[in-house]
Amino acid sequence: MEILAWLVPSGVVLVIAMVWAAWAGRPQREETDRTGAAYEKFAAAIVREHPGAGRAGPVAARDRSTGIAVRPSRSGTPRPSGQDGTRRSA
């Protein structure tokens, strides 16, 4: 029986988790704060224009994307003749 003593802490944690789940899943009480004044305040807030609606946002600079990773060219080093990437006709 002593060999099963290590199961006691996990059993206690299991029971606490079950009690917490039962308490958290209980039916919630109805809110009684829904008065006519609260509804009118909410309706006025929804109809009112947002303060930042008239301002233009910052324009994001978009990079040209080709979908291909290209290394920047080395403009300082001269290329050997015939290897400039163009084909020569025979």
Side-chain angles (χ1 to χ4, degrees), residues 33 36 47 55 59 63:
D33 190 38
V47 172
R55 290 187 234 145
V59 178
D63 290 334

Side-chain angles (χ1 to χ4, degrees), residues 2 12-14 25 34-35 37 43 49 52 55 61 70-71 78 88:
E2 292 176 9
V12 170
V13 170
L14 176 69
R34 298 182 189 252
T35 62
E49 187 175 341
R55 290 187 234 145
V70 180
R71 291 183 182 157
R88 296 183 186 181

Side-chain angles (χ1 to χ4, degrees), residues 37-51:
Y39 179 76
E40 292 297 325
K41 183 178 177 183
F42 175 73
I46 291 295
V47 172
R48 192 175 339 137
E49 187 175 341
H50 192 272

